[in-house]
Amino acid sequence: MIQFTVNTGDESRSIQVDALEAFIGRPNDDRPIDVDLSPDGNVSRVHARVWLENGFLKIEDLGSSQGTQVNSSPLKKILVIRPADRIKIGDSILFARLGPPRPKDAPKVERAPVAKPPTPKINPSIPAETGVGIQIEVEQNGETKRFSIPKEEAFIGRKNESHPIDVDLTGDLNVSRIHARIWVSQGKCWVEDLQSSHGTQLNGENIGGLKVISTTDIIEIGSYRLKVSIGGGLQSNPELAQTAGAQQSSTAGGNVPLLQFYPVYKEVSYRYFAPENRNADQMSNYYSTIKSPIGMVLVERECSMNIGEWPALANPHKAQTLLKGLVEFPLKLASATDVAGVCTLAVEHLVKVMPGISRASVFLIDSNDSRLMLKAHQPSLKPSVSETLMHRAFDSKNLAIWHQADPTECVQRMSIHTGIYAPIVGCDREIGMLCLDSTDQKLELLDEDAVFAAAIALQLGAFLQQKFAAKESIWTGW
């Protein structure tokens, strides 16, 4: 019923637990262990528990000596976990999701650990393999070598101590130590220049960021010319066919899957896909043509916008502080005379009331132009947001709590650290998106923050719908 993927060093294994509850730890005399992480001494004998409750998988740390982390944050209380959440216990990274029930009387099976194959370097003595991962053909001075990268991502550069390199081009000093990255996302192959000194060219043009590539494209890095194709190893993996490392969410909203990373841009308007036009293939094609992002974020967890599904609050002091702000908000809205004034009041109030939140913005839908338009932002700068994640929030009808990808996952760095996207809805119609973020590297957004942001977004949607629908042709022009 609960399926785990356990990655330890170069080994990966899958474990299915045919029960509503699973204990993680090491063998002991006190309690049976379902997910055995021995012989890791950093794992307590009864370390953590994962269980199914009201349709959600939850996790708690059971007083372990070294603690448990979820998406790099210490697990301090019971938390709802999603399929893409990274659970770190000792030296292992675990993913948990609901699995199909095993046929009755079928034996419990644990797959043997499978060692990951070594990552090849550019070396004439290593022959190319076929049908595995990313295939890269490298040509220099008339000499061509073909190599296989047995995974979904490859870093190109020169050998260095700060980051592992998959394709070593040490022979050319015009190649930066960490020069470029090639990976698979949404069924497409991408190349990204990682702020190299001499740039990366695609078919003779400097990409200046990242681009989708095909088998006929030529990538130029220094004096090297590269051609890339995707091997059978990736195509046979249904999760990688969606996006590199992505996992489909168990929540509603199949047109915008829960991805591992979401690109971030800094614009005042974005393309909007209405629900009837929110086709996964159409959106994938659109996102493959837009310009390079300024960074990447990943979803830490989602929270339903349905009041009946909100999590229980465990921090009374913070809940009381936010409750006061929730009561004050409609009183402030009463003084607004137009849509712009409503949005401005909202962002100013949120930055003032929510501890740690330093920036807030409101985007409203202009259905006439199929755009998400920025209506208010505090402070008065262009906000950094992910339109892909905004559409994910619309489609799943969930609030999303996110944080910036770490340097090993995305070299590009942004000032923002974590934040919240909450859909603004009125009478079951999508009106816009409330975006909050923080530059505080130590800020941990709690369930109290999620519930408060969801409540403000619901109030904002109801107020806009009721007061301005008749006057300003709602969802068109605003």
Side-chain angles (χ1 to χ4, degrees):
M1 194 113 189
I2 305 176
Q3 189 166 347
F4 294 88
T5 299
V6 182
N7 299 319
T8 307
D10 290 333
E11 295 182 351
S12 180
R13 55 194 170 121
S14 295
I15 300 172
Q16 181 162 315
V17 179
D18 295 323
L20 300 179
E21 180 181 60
F23 287 89
I24 304 169
R26 295 184 290 137
N28 63 89
D29 296 331
D30 298 326
R31 181 184 293 277
I33 293 299
D34 302 288
V35 181
D36 183 0
L37 300 182
S38 61
D40 189 344
N42 290 321
V43 178
S44 297
R45 297 191 182 278
V46 186
H47 194 109
R49 178 173 73 113
V50 173
W51 74 99
L52 180 64
E53 181 179 317
N54 298 325
F56 293 95
L57 276 182
K58 296 185 176 182
I59 186 172
E60 67 173 336
D61 183 272
L62 299 175
S64 64
S65 58
Q66 300 298 321
T68 302
Q69 292 184 359
V70 177
N71 298 323
S72 302
S73 297
L75 179 61
K76 299 179 180 178
K77 60 179 181 177
I78 294 174
L79 184 69
V80 173
I81 53 174
R82 306 294 179 181
D85 287 342
R86 294 164 55 91
I87 305 166
K88 188 176 189 305
I89 296 178
D91 294 329
S92 297
I93 300 295
L94 297 83
F95 297 90
R97 64 179 183 273
L98 290 177
R102 197 182 303 280
K104 193 173 182 179
D105 300 327
K108 180 178 176 180
V109 178
E110 177 174 331
R111 286 192 281 181
V114 179
K116 294 181 181 178
T119 303
K121 307 297 181 183
I122 289 191
N123 187 323
S125 65
I126 302 178
E129 299 176 4
T130 59
V132 180
I134 302 174
Q135 311 297 317
I136 301 180
E137 180 182 283
V138 180
E139 186 270 329
Q140 183 193 42
N141 299 328
E143 182 180 357
T144 300
K145 301 294 179 182
R146 295 176 177 85
F147 302 91
S148 297
I149 309 299
K151 55 183 181 177
E152 71 276 9
E153 180 183 57
F155 283 88
I156 301 170
R158 293 186 290 128
K159 188 175 181 180
N160 64 88
E161 297 179 355
S162 62
H163 197 288
I165 295 298
D166 302 290
V167 179
D168 187 356
L169 306 181
T170 298
D172 190 339
L173 293 179
N174 288 323
V175 178
S176 297
R177 296 189 183 278
I178 309 173
H179 195 108
R181 179 172 72 115
I182 293 172
W183 79 103
V184 176
S185 177
Q186 298 181 354
K188 296 179 173 63
C189 196
W190 296 69
V191 62
E192 177 184 19
D193 182 84
L194 300 177
Q195 300 179 355
S196 64
S197 300
H198 297 278
T200 301
Q201 285 74 44
L202 180 64
N203 301 322
E205 296 185 3
N206 199 316
I207 63 174
L210 75 165
K211 293 287 186 182
V212 173
I213 55 176
S214 69
T215 55
T216 59
D217 288 329
I218 304 295
I219 302 169
E220 295 177 75
I221 296 177
S223 58
Y224 293 91
R225 292 162 56 88
L226 293 77
K227 296 181 71 173
V228 181
S229 61
I230 304 174
L234 289 181
Q235 294 171 338
S236 64
N237 187 325
E239 288 185 351
L240 293 175
Q242 296 175 41
T243 183
Q247 299 202 24
Q248 193 80 18
S249 172
S250 60
T251 58
N255 292 323
V256 188
L258 182 60
L259 306 179
Q260 183 179 12
F261 300 113
Y262 292 86
V264 173
Y265 303 90
K266 186 173 285 191
E267 304 291 344
V268 296
S269 73
Y270 297 93
R271 175 77 179 272
Y272 170 71
F273 290 87
E276 62 271 18
N277 299 323
R278 202 169 290 151
N279 176 277
D281 291 336
Q282 180 181 358
M283 295 188 69
S284 176
N285 291 333
Y286 166 69
Y287 288 123
S288 70
T289 62
I290 55 183
K291 68 178 186 178
S292 303
I294 63 172
M296 296 281 184
V297 299
L298 61 155
V299 175
E300 182 177 313
R301 63 188 187 276
E302 294 181 322
C303 173
S304 174
M305 293 295 291
N306 186 336
I307 297 176
E309 299 178 16
W310 284 354
L313 305 183
N315 188 323
H317 176 71
K318 190 165 194 177
Q320 185 176 9
T321 300
L322 294 176
L323 178 61
K324 180 181 177 182
L326 187 61
V327 173
E328 291 174 346
F329 184 59
L331 301 178
K332 291 185 176 182
L333 290 182
S335 64
T337 58
D338 57 18
V339 170
V342 171
C343 297
T344 299
L345 282 172
V347 297
E348 290 177 347
H349 183 70
L350 286 160
V351 170
K352 179 181 178 181
V353 172
M354 292 189 72
I357 294 298
S358 52
R359 305 194 302 183
S361 56
V362 172
F363 286 82
L364 297 184
I365 297 166
D366 183 343
S367 59
N368 189 47
D369 293 330
S370 297
R371 305 291 294 177
L372 273 162
M373 309 294 295
L374 178 65
K375 287 299 176 180
H377 181 53
Q378 177 71 23
S380 57
L381 302 168
K382 279 186 182 180
S384 302
V385 298
S386 171
E387 58 181 322
T388 324
L389 185 50
M390 286 197 287
H391 277 97
R392 166 67 195 176
F394 279 135
D395 206 46
S396 66
K397 298 178 175 59
N398 286 335
L399 171 149
I401 297 179
W402 54 265
H403 63 266
Q404 181 177 193
D406 67 42
T408 63
E409 296 164 325
C410 180
V411 176
Q412 294 167 298
R413 310 313 296 153
M414 303 178 292
S415 61
I416 54 176
H417 166 63
T418 187
I420 292 174
Y421 290 174
I424 302 171
V425 179
C427 296
D428 294 326
R429 290 292 300 273
E430 295 172 356
I431 295 178
M433 188 66 62
L434 177 63
C435 304
L436 312 172
D437 61 67
S438 174
T439 57
D440 184 354
Q441 298 294 314
K442 298 181 179 179
L443 179 64
E444 179 184 359
L445 292 171
L446 306 178
D447 288 339
E448 287 77 11
D449 300 293
V451 168
F452 178 74
I456 292 292
L458 290 173
Q459 286 189 355
L460 190 56
F463 189 85
L464 289 169
Q465 163 68 27
Q466 182 180 25
K467 189 165 185 177
F468 298 110
K471 294 182 180 180
E472 301 193 29
S473 182
I474 196 166
W475 305 300
T476 304
W478 280 105

